[in-house]
Amino acid sequence: MGLKLSFLGGAGTVTGSKYLLESISHRLLIDCGLFQGGRTLREMNWKRFAVEPAGISAVVLTHAHLDHSGALPLLVKQGFNGMILCSEATAALCEVLLRDSGHLQEQDAKYASKRGFSRQKPALPLYTVKDAEAALRLLRPISFHADCELPGGGNLVLRRAGHILGAASVELEWERTSVAFSGDLGRHDDPIMFEPEPLVKGDYLIVESTYGDRSHPKVDPQRAIEEVVGATTKRGGTVVIPAFAVGRAQALLYYFERIKLAGGLSNVPIFLDSPMAVDASEIFCKFKTDQKLSYDECKRACAVATYIRSVEDSKRLSDSPVPKVIISASGMATGGRVLHHLRRFAPDPKNTVLFAGYQAEGTRGAAMISGARTIRIHGQDVPIVADVRNIDALSAHADADEMLGWLKSGRIAPSRTFITHGELRAAHALQSRITKELGWTCVVPEQCQEATLN
Ligand SMILES: [Zn+2]
């Protein structure tokens, strides 16, 4: 009997990545992410897992972003007790991200109880900090490129995927079948992250398609940032940048440091208002061999911003009329401190809201980019009068050409390729390019679809 692969998330959407691989005796889960975006997606986080978590032998984690790791505390809370295999940097980042996620879930529940808009009384958190800590105890960091044994025989190898610190593509050899998962793929020529490494093995391939239907414009991100920030601050405005705390926040610090070094934006103060991004920046400097910057370059980039930790300082920052840049999480404006900055700055035409990466359907970020006149924050309609910009070139995801280039550079010719982690249009666009240019058989699986391998 061959293997069975089920798509429990990340199919037809960019969030909730969860792929279950089953042999006759064992179950492996690749990624265990939270669904993010509109209400229907978020409600899927409350459903029970399709299989008993206690019956899963191990989890393999491609990277630390919550749409890949954020449901681990739930899995553990519901009985999973195996090991969670991931790279060393991913483990270090999860320490920060999962704890913070537990904390946010607790806060959301408290807020819902207070406002009375929860069906449960009192409202329960999806999981707590304690649940997150139980998941962290199961993390088993492994080195890139090293053979690692899997429960039930077989092995796995992690290859660098670029994208963010610690991000990996995974090659599994299990029950005489090799299955490769791209994970989220980074850019070529990224100033900070290495290029995604070509795949060596993969009878079957599961590949992401976030930008499967797009090419990143050939603009220089550094120049684009300098132009937007320069124009806004010149008219006395503030630039609010919603940014993923892990990855984009550090890339932005790097670009601002380069701009200032070249003499640009000399009087513009930069603030990093996200305790999590501050912690992630420290981890970033520690993992010297996992990115291109030297320790000194890393420290210099981190020093370009004033770090804001306390809520009081964050509120004071919102009230200050001085033209400035505020980098704050979350990246798609789905939560976090960036919300109170948007409430304060978005209604004024002097200001700019600058997006620095992919905005999933159903998020406030996607609504603002497509021209929404108001967005709802904490029960209030906030008018969007500020200039709204999106610099796609800042994305941490490969575009369609880069993805094709990466696939061609590998030594594989999979008998079937599954296209996941993209809105349907992007997934289908990538499917037709792979079919045409590589001649591979591709499938765009639906949520909960199952496939037999071999
Ligand atoms: Zn990611």
Side-chain angles (χ1 to χ4, degrees):
M1 122 128 202
L3 300 174
K4 192 170 92 180
L5 174 65
S6 313
F7 299 87
L8 307 181
T13 165
V14 291
T15 65
S17 283
K18 271 180 220 83
Y19 310 115
L20 183 72
L21 204 52
E22 295 173 86
S23 72
I24 200 154
S25 57
H26 285 81
R27 287 179 167 145
L28 280 182
L29 187 66
I30 290 80
D31 282 345
C32 188
L34 277 182
F35 289 101
Q36 296 167 318
R39 178 186 285 259
T40 334
L41 272 174
R42 278 180 286 130
E43 280 178 353
M44 283 165 69
N45 292 322
W46 291 89
K47 287 194 182 147
R48 276 199 77 82
F49 284 93
V51 295
E52 258 327 300
I56 297 173
S57 309
V59 176
V60 184
L61 191 58
T62 61
H63 66 290
H65 276 153
L66 287 180
D67 60 322
H68 294 257
S69 72
L72 284 170
L74 269 179
L75 193 75
V76 175
K77 187 177 160 182
Q78 292 177 22
F80 172 74
N81 194 29
M83 49 187 181
I84 303 169
L85 299 161
C86 63
S87 72
E88 286 156 28
T90 295
L93 290 170
C94 279
E95 291 277 340
V96 177
L97 277 167
L98 291 183
R99 250 192 214 105
D100 181 78
S101 179
H103 178 67
L104 280 181
Q105 303 291 348
E106 288 181 28
Q107 270 186 332
D108 282 355
K110 263 189 216 148
Y111 186 73
S113 286
K114 210 164 99 191
R115 292 291 177 104
F117 56 59
S118 162
R119 271 170 258 162
Q120 308 149 331
K121 290 195 178 38
L124 296 173
L126 187 60
Y127 57 79
T128 62
V129 174
K130 246 186 155 158
D131 297 325
E133 283 167 351
L136 292 172
R137 282 194 285 276
L138 300 178
L139 292 175
R140 296 289 176 274
I142 54 176
S143 306
F144 278 102
H145 310 123
D147 263 329
C148 168
E149 206 174 308
L150 286 171
N155 60 15
L156 83 86
V157 174
L158 300 183
R159 305 204 182 276
R160 293 187 191 283
H163 187 54
I164 63 161
L165 192 74
S169 300
V170 177
E171 287 176 6
L172 292 166
E173 183 92 51
W174 212 38
E175 302 279 328
R176 287 184 295 281
T177 306
S178 64
V179 189
F181 294 82
S182 70
D184 284 5
L185 292 168
R187 312 285 317 271
H188 285 246
D189 301 326
D190 188 276
I192 302 177
M193 298 312 302
F194 296 111
E195 306 209 332
E197 290 174 347
L199 291 175
V200 177
K201 270 186 199 164
D203 300 332
Y204 295 90
L205 170 67
I206 293 81
V207 65
E208 70 122 327
S209 60
T210 315
Y211 282 97
D213 58 343
R214 270 177 275 179
S215 304
H216 293 312
K218 304 272 173 276
V219 294
D220 172 4
Q222 185 176 326
R223 189 180 290 172
I225 295 171
E226 188 172 355
E227 269 170 24
V228 172
V229 174
T232 309
T233 50
K234 215 166 163 187
R235 58 178 189 253
T238 284
V239 181
V240 176
I241 312 183
F244 294 99
V246 174
R248 284 315 78 193
Q250 290 75 39
L252 285 161
L253 295 180
Y254 167 82
Y255 284 120
F256 278 115
E257 196 265 332
R258 305 307 300 171
I259 294 169
K260 297 229 172 204
L261 195 67
L265 305 178
S266 52
N267 297 319
V268 181
I270 317 285
F271 295 93
L272 181 61
D273 182 14
S274 159
M276 198 172 38
V278 175
D279 290 340
S281 303
E282 278 161 17
I283 294 173
F284 200 84
C285 294
K286 234 172 74 186
F287 282 87
K288 292 188 279 273
T289 53
D290 282 325
Q291 36 98 354
K292 291 181 181 172
L293 303 186
S294 69
Y295 186 73
D296 288 347
E297 284 173 316
C298 209
K299 282 285 168 196
R300 269 207 308 274
C302 291
V304 80
T306 304
Y307 291 179
I308 306 287
R309 280 198 183 262
S310 76
V311 177
E312 295 71 46
D313 286 348
S314 174
K315 288 190 173 147
R316 218 169 290 140
L317 187 62
S318 245
D319 292 336
S320 144
V322 179
K324 60 193 161 300
V325 172
I326 303 175
I327 304 168
S328 187
S330 73
M332 300 190 286
T334 50
R337 290 184 181 180
V338 77
L339 293 183
H340 74 239
H341 294 306
L342 288 175
R343 223 158 101 176
R344 162 74 176 76
F345 294 104
D348 185 337
K350 276 204 311 282
N351 303 322
T352 299
V353 180
L354 175 62
F355 287 95
Y358 189 77
Q359 304 299 315
E361 263 174 29
T363 59
R364 293 188 185 91
M368 289 172 76
I369 283 176
S370 59
R373 296 251 175 104
T374 61
I375 52 164
R376 212 163 165 80
I377 297 178
H378 300 146
Q380 274 178 16
D381 285 324
V382 176
I384 308 300
V385 186
D387 195 10
V388 175
R389 299 289 192 96
N390 181 25
I391 303 181
D392 255 346
L394 278 170
S395 165
H397 283 273
D399 68 10
D401 290 335
E402 288 169 329
M403 255 178 310
L404 261 296
W406 175 75
L407 291 171
K408 284 175 192 164
S409 71
R411 276 188 258 151
I412 60 166
S415 59
R416 221 175 324 150
T417 298
F418 300 92
I419 301 178
T420 58
H421 197 286
E423 318 283 2
L424 276 180
R425 204 181 39 211
H428 285 294
L430 189 67
Q431 177 184 34
S432 74
R433 279 197 67 179
I434 295 179
T435 312
K436 219 181 280 163
E437 294 175 40
L438 295 165
W440 298 355
T441 307
C442 298
V443 185
V444 177
E446 283 172 19
Q447 169 72 10
C448 290
Q449 193 171 320
E450 293 175 357
T452 306
L453 313 185
N454 272 350

